[in-house]
Amino acid sequence: MKLLRKILFPIVPIYYMVTWLRNKFYDFGIKTSTTYDVPVICVGNLSVGGTGKTPMIEYLIILLKAQHKVATLSRGYKRKSVGFQLADNTTVMEDIGDEPFQFHNKFGSSIYVAVDSNRVNGIAQLLQQTKPPNIVLLDDAFQHRKVKAGFNIMLTTYNNPFFKDIVLPTGNLREPRQGYKRANIIVVTKCPLDIADTEKAKFIKKINALNHQQVFFSSISYSNIVLSKTEKVNLDVINNFTLVTGIANAEPLVRYLKSKNLKFEHLNYKDHHQFSVEDISNLELHEKLLTTEKDYMRLKKYKSLERKLFYLPIKMVISESEVFDGVINDFIKSF
């Protein structure tokens, strides 16, 4: 794959120009965006791969749901349905995709969870509900400029920041670096828990944040408790297990588990992997399975794995969280 990306380098200028022109058409009003009278917060990134969008959406849900009727809207990657879908008590993972199903599984009817590849239609459908949401969280929609979100949160990872990258197909950026200028907040994700203030200052300088932008730093906090359909046990109890991952980057999780001196083997699948009958037959041979919450959404339906399958919850921890929360609440109060 790395060799192929290098071979495709001549395409980089073409991809750059196409995405640059597309953004300029929106910037100059040649292509139009739809605005809304309710707060719309977009969470996204410039790069492909995992930057922590799901933990950020969950952070915002927890922050806002007590005082507001919150809706999440995603495209529903790899779902088997089409068009607008609003989750209810009959919804299964295949209807909306693994990440939206995770939101629905965790927060239930306290929020709306919807999917639609056409975000304009998706928001319109949400606002037509009998009790419409008063906040819409757009998941992975930074490049979806047909919607003009009132507030943009752009994520970039500590180990692979956007300012060190180039556009596809050789790099990982979906659009040129200057797209960061559309963000209101930039969050550097997956930072070490002990990141020093001097390191933060270096990052902020390299990001070159504009006057209207604020930069925050976040880390992933792993629980010491693992969950199954029926059990809640300490992580240490399931030592000698098989780790099953189908996420963009499993390395941080692997490092965490190794730091706990746990013994395990790792079955690493591609992001959003759809487990086949053969895959499940293979997993049935293992005594204990540990997976991520997102992967658990795709595996929980298999009865044969029910007694051996556990997942490890995570949450996003934001430095200066009170300031971050205040910025979000101030935006909402402006409506």
Side-chain angles (χ1 to χ4, degrees):
M1 179 60 75
K2 289 182 179 179
L3 176 61
L4 178 60
R5 284 188 162 209
K6 290 179 180 179
I7 293 172
L8 293 174
F9 181 77
I11 300 176
V12 166
I14 300 171
Y15 185 94
Y16 182 103
M17 184 57 65
V18 169
T19 53
W20 181 85
L21 281 173
R22 176 181 180 272
N23 279 321
K24 288 302 177 185
F25 285 168
Y26 279 106
D27 293 341
F28 296 141
I30 299 171
K31 293 176 75 72
T32 59
S33 303
T34 303
T35 58
Y36 298 90
D37 295 329
V38 298
V40 176
I41 301 175
C42 170
V43 174
N45 51 25
L46 292 183
S47 63
V48 297
T51 56
K53 294 183 296 294
T54 299
M56 173 57 77
I57 291 287
E58 291 190 353
Y59 182 99
L60 293 171
I61 293 170
I62 293 168
L63 173 66
L64 300 171
K65 70 183 181 69
Q67 301 295 325
H68 304 278
K69 187 61 177 180
V70 176
T72 69
L73 179 61
S74 316
R75 65 169 169 158
Y77 185 63
K78 286 198 173 182
R79 63 187 169 115
K80 295 183 179 179
S81 62
V82 295
F84 177 79
Q85 300 288 327
L86 182 62
D88 58 25
N89 58 10
T90 67
T91 299
V92 295
M93 187 277 294
E94 289 79 5
D95 295 333
I96 58 177
D98 52 9
E99 289 162 344
F101 191 65
Q102 180 174 321
F103 303 147
H104 178 58
N105 188 72
K106 183 173 289 187
F107 299 106
S109 60
S110 67
I111 66 169
Y112 288 123
V113 176
V115 296
D116 197 331
S117 59
N118 182 335
R119 306 305 205 287
V120 174
N121 181 67
I123 294 176
Q125 293 286 340
L126 283 167
L127 296 180
Q128 290 173 13
Q129 299 301 310
T130 304
K131 294 182 179 179
N134 54 13
I135 295 173
V136 177
L137 304 178
L138 294 180
D139 182 14
D140 196 14
F142 197 67
Q143 285 76 35
H144 198 94
R145 299 198 61 186
K146 290 182 179 180
V147 169
K148 184 174 176 59
F151 200 89
N152 283 293
I153 300 174
M154 193 197 90
L155 311 182
T156 188
T157 61
Y158 176 80
N159 288 325
N160 296 291
F162 74 93
F163 54 76
K164 289 185 177 180
D165 209 346
I166 62 172
V167 298
L168 294 163
T170 302
N172 290 310
L173 299 185
R174 300 172 173 177
E175 61 174 294
R177 295 175 190 173
Q178 57 261 44
Y180 87 95
K181 296 178 180 179
R182 299 198 305 276
N184 299 91
I185 281 178
I186 298 168
V187 181
V188 183
T189 62
K190 303 184 180 181
C191 298
L193 289 170
D194 57 350
I195 182 172
D197 289 341
T198 53
E199 185 66 17
K200 291 180 182 179
K202 290 178 184 178
F203 248 85
I204 292 171
K205 184 175 181 180
K206 290 176 181 177
I207 287 172
N208 192 27
L210 306 179
N211 290 334
H212 72 280
Q213 295 177 318
Q214 291 178 266
V215 180
F216 293 88
F217 295 82
S218 73
S219 304
I220 292 297
S221 175
Y222 295 96
S223 174
N224 285 318
I225 301 294
V226 295
L227 305 173
S228 71
K229 185 174 182 179
T230 58
E231 290 185 86
K232 180 186 293 187
V233 299
N234 287 327
L235 178 58
D236 296 342
V237 172
I238 64 159
N239 202 3
N240 294 310
F241 56 86
T242 300
L243 176 66
V244 183
T245 60
I247 56 178
N249 181 14
E251 275 306 305
L253 173 57
V254 171
R255 285 198 301 270
Y256 172 74
L257 295 173
K258 287 182 177 179
S259 74
K260 304 283 285 183
N261 296 316
L262 297 171
K263 296 179 180 179
F264 61 94
E265 65 170 301
H266 185 196
L267 298 179
N268 191 23
Y269 299 92
K270 65 181 181 179
D271 196 16
H272 298 280
H273 179 70
Q274 298 300 312
F275 293 94
S276 66
V277 173
E278 184 179 350
D279 292 332
I280 299 305
S281 295
N282 179 42
L283 294 179
E284 289 172 349
L285 300 175
H286 296 260
E287 184 179 350
K288 285 178 283 189
L289 302 171
L290 179 66
T291 191
T292 68
E293 190 168 3
K294 185 172 82 168
D295 293 310
Y296 182 77
M297 295 302 118
R298 298 195 298 279
L299 290 168
K300 62 183 289 190
K301 65 182 180 180
Y302 296 102
K303 296 286 187 180
S304 60
L305 303 181
E306 201 170 86
R307 298 178 64 85
K308 63 177 72 179
L309 181 65
F310 294 82
Y311 71 89
L312 181 65
I314 64 172
K315 66 177 180 178
M316 177 173 280
V317 178
I318 300 177
S319 64
E320 300 183 12
S321 59
E322 290 185 2
V323 178
F324 179 91
D325 296 354
V327 173
I328 299 299
N329 282 314
D330 286 344
F331 162 69
I332 293 167
K333 289 174 184 176
S334 68
F335 281 79

Coordinates of all heavy atoms in Angstrom, one line a residue, residues 2 37 43 49 52 62 72 77 79 83 132-133 137 153 169 177-178 189 195-196 199 204 224 285 295 297 314 317 327:
K2 N 1.9 1.3 0.8 CA 2.8 2.4 0.9 C 3.5 2.6 -0.5 O 3.7 3.8 -0.9 CB 3.9 2.2 2.0 CG 3.3 2.3 3.4 CD 4.4 2.2 4.4 CE 3.8 2.3 5.8 NZ 4.9 2.2 6.9
D37 N -31.6 27.7 11.7 CA -32.0 28.6 12.8 C -31.8 27.8 14.2 O -32.1 28.4 15.2 CB -33.4 29.0 12.7 CG -33.6 30.0 11.5 OD1 -32.7 30.7 11.2 OD2 -34.8 29.9 11.0
V43 N -18.5 18.0 13.7 CA -17.2 17.4 14.2 C -16.6 16.6 13.0 O -17.3 15.8 12.4 CB -17.5 16.4 15.3 CG1 -16.2 15.7 15.7 CG2 -18.1 17.1 16.6
G49 N -9.1 8.2 8.2 CA -8.6 7.4 9.4 C -9.1 8.0 10.7 O -9.8 9.0 10.7
G52 N -10.7 10.3 16.3 CA -11.4 10.4 17.6 C -12.7 11.1 17.5 O -13.2 11.6 18.5
I62 N -22.9 14.0 26.1 CA -23.0 14.0 27.6 C -23.0 15.4 28.1 O -23.7 15.7 29.1 CB -21.8 13.2 28.1 CG1 -21.9 11.7 27.8 CG2 -21.6 13.4 29.7 CD1 -20.6 11.0 28.0
T72 N -27.9 13.4 16.6 CA -26.7 13.2 15.9 C -27.1 12.8 14.5 O -28.0 12.0 14.3 CB -25.8 12.0 16.5 OG1 -26.5 10.8 16.3 CG2 -25.5 12.3 18.0
Y77 N -21.9 5.0 7.6 CA -20.9 4.2 6.8 C -21.2 2.7 6.8 O -21.3 2.1 7.9 CB -19.5 4.6 7.3 CG -18.4 4.0 6.4 CD1 -18.3 4.4 5.1 CD2 -17.5 3.1 7.0 CE1 -17.3 3.9 4.3 CE2 -16.5 2.6 6.2 CZ -16.4 3.0 4.9 OH -15.4 2.4 4.1
R79 N -23.7 1.0 6.1 CA -25.1 0.5 6.5 C -25.7 -0.2 5.3 O -25.3 0.1 4.1 CB -25.9 1.6 7.0 CG -26.2 2.7 6.0 CD -27.0 3.8 6.6 NE -27.1 5.0 5.8 CZ -28.2 5.5 5.3 NH1 -29.3 4.9 5.6 NH2 -28.2 6.6 4.6
G83 N -31.2 6.2 2.2 CA -32.0 7.4 2.6 C -31.9 7.7 4.1 O -31.0 7.2 4.8
P132 N -38.9 18.3 17.6 CA -37.6 18.4 16.9 C -36.5 18.7 17.9 O -36.7 19.2 18.9 CB -37.9 19.6 16.0 CG -38.9 20.4 16.6 CD -39.8 19.4 17.3
P133 N -35.3 18.3 17.5 CA -34.1 18.6 18.3 C -33.8 20.1 18.3 O -34.1 20.8 17.3 CB -33.0 17.8 17.6 CG -33.4 17.7 16.2 CD -34.9 17.6 16.2
L137 N -25.8 17.5 16.0 CA -24.4 17.2 15.9 C -24.1 16.5 14.6 O -24.6 15.4 14.4 CB -23.9 16.4 17.1 CG -24.2 17.0 18.5 CD1 -23.8 16.0 19.6 CD2 -23.5 18.3 18.7
I153 N -15.8 21.9 14.7 CA -14.8 21.3 15.6 C -13.9 20.4 14.7 O -14.4 19.4 14.2 CB -15.3 20.5 16.8 CG1 -16.2 21.4 17.6 CG2 -14.2 19.9 17.6 CD1 -16.9 20.7 18.7
P169 N -3.6 10.9 -3.1 CA -3.6 9.5 -2.6 C -2.3 9.2 -1.9 O -2.2 8.1 -1.2 CB -3.8 8.7 -3.8 CG -3.1 9.5 -4.9 CD -3.4 10.9 -4.6
R177 N -4.4 21.6 3.3 CA -4.2 21.9 4.7 C -5.0 23.2 5.1 O -5.5 23.3 6.3 CB -2.7 22.2 5.1 CG -1.8 21.0 4.9 CD -0.4 21.4 5.2 NE 0.5 20.3 4.8 CZ 1.8 20.4 4.8 NH1 2.4 21.6 5.1 NH2 2.6 19.4 4.5
Q178 N -5.1 24.2 4.2 CA -5.7 25.4 4.6 C -7.2 25.3 4.9 O -7.8 26.2 5.4 CB -5.5 26.5 3.5 CG -6.0 26.1 2.1 CD -4.9 25.7 1.2 OE1 -4.1 24.9 1.7 NE2 -4.9 26.1 0.0
T189 N -6.0 15.4 19.2 CA -6.5 14.2 19.9 C -5.4 13.2 20.1 O -4.3 13.2 19.5 CB -7.6 13.6 19.1 OG1 -7.2 13.1 17.8 CG2 -8.8 14.6 18.9
I195 N 1.2 15.2 28.5 CA 1.8 16.2 27.6 C 2.1 17.5 28.3 O 1.3 18.1 29.0 CB 0.8 16.4 26.4 CG1 1.5 17.4 25.3 CG2 -0.5 16.9 26.8 CD1 0.7 17.5 24.1
A196 N 3.3 18.0 28.0 CA 3.8 19.2 28.7 C 3.3 20.5 28.0 O 3.0 20.5 26.8 CB 5.3 19.2 28.7
E199 N 5.2 21.5 25.0 CA 4.9 20.7 23.8 C 3.6 21.3 23.2 O 3.4 21.4 21.9 CB 4.7 19.2 24.1 CG 4.4 18.3 22.9 CD 5.6 18.3 21.9 OE1 6.7 18.6 22.3 OE2 5.3 17.8 20.8
I204 N 0.7 24.5 18.9 CA -0.2 25.7 18.6 C 0.5 26.5 17.6 O -0.1 27.0 16.6 CB -0.5 26.4 19.9 CG1 -1.5 25.6 20.8 CG2 -1.2 27.8 19.5 CD1 -1.7 26.2 22.1
N224 N -10.9 0.7 33.4 CA -10.4 -0.5 34.0 C -11.4 -1.6 34.1 O -11.1 -2.7 34.6 CB -9.8 -0.2 35.4 CG -8.4 0.5 35.3 OD1 -7.6 0.2 34.5 ND2 -8.2 1.6 36.1
L285 N -13.4 -20.2 18.4 CA -12.4 -21.1 18.9 C -11.6 -20.5 20.1 O -10.9 -21.2 20.7 CB -11.4 -21.4 17.8 CG -12.0 -22.1 16.5 CD1 -11.0 -22.3 15.5 CD2 -12.7 -23.5 16.9
D295 N -16.5 -2.1 17.6 CA -16.5 -3.4 17.1 C -17.6 -4.3 17.8 O -18.1 -5.2 17.2 CB -15.1 -4.1 17.3 CG -14.1 -3.4 16.4 OD1 -14.3 -3.3 15.2 OD2 -13.0 -3.1 16.9
M297 N -20.4 -3.4 18.6 CA -21.7 -3.2 18.0 C -21.9 -4.1 16.8 O -23.1 -4.5 16.5 CB -21.8 -1.7 17.5 CG -21.8 -0.7 18.6 SD -23.1 -0.9 19.8 CE -22.2 -1.2 21.3
I314 N -14.1 3.6 26.5 CA -13.2 4.7 26.5 C -14.0 6.0 26.6 O -15.2 6.1 26.3 CB -12.3 4.7 25.2 CG1 -13.2 5.0 24.0 CG2 -11.5 3.5 25.1 CD1 -12.3 5.3 22.7
V317 N -10.9 12.8 27.2 CA -10.5 13.8 28.3 C -9.9 15.0 27.7 O -8.9 14.9 27.0 CB -9.6 13.2 29.3 CG1 -9.2 14.2 30.4 CG2 -10.2 11.9 29.9
V327 N -17.1 27.5 25.7 CA -17.2 27.9 24.3 C -18.4 27.3 23.6 O -19.1 28.0 22.8 CB -15.9 27.6 23.5 CG1 -16.0 27.9 22.0 CG2 -14.7 28.3 24.1

